[in-house]
Amino acid sequence: RERADSVEYAASAAECARRVGVLVVAVPWKQFAELTPADLLQGTERPTVIDCWRFFDADTFAGVGEYISLGVGPSAQVAERVG
């Protein structure tokens, strides 16, 4: 409750993505699965995306900023990009 006055709400997932430097997709909501790289590029210069549900294509989102897909180790992510 001490921080309740500093909470900012967004009207949509896309607006949320534009307003943050780090986006953690921690819930399996359709609104987040539908985000595009363009939604992230409108905000910070090189955002970080932490994708807990592996919604996004690693190759597509890697060009936007730092893309981290939970449950996939670094060597698996590199293998996916190469192979």
Side-chain angles (χ1 to χ4, degrees), residues 17-68:
R18 284 190 298 272
R19 293 170 59 183
V20 298
V22 177
L23 177 66
V24 179
V25 181
V27 293
W29 295 347
K30 179 181 172 187
Q31 296 88 338
F32 287 103
E34 294 172 343
L35 289 173
T36 67
D39 293 323
L40 293 160
L41 289 174
Q42 294 177 19
T44 61
E45 194 171 307
R46 294 219 12 110
T48 298
V49 177
I50 302 173
D51 184 1
C52 299
W53 292 91
R54 294 185 232 157
F55 279 144
F56 310 122
D57 176 67
D59 292 330
T60 302
F61 277 81
V64 172
E66 183 173 359
Y67 176 77
I68 301 165

Side-chain angles (χ1 to χ4, degrees), residues 3-9:
R3 297 184 180 220
D5 60 335
S6 66
V7 173
E8 293 183 28
Y9 294 92

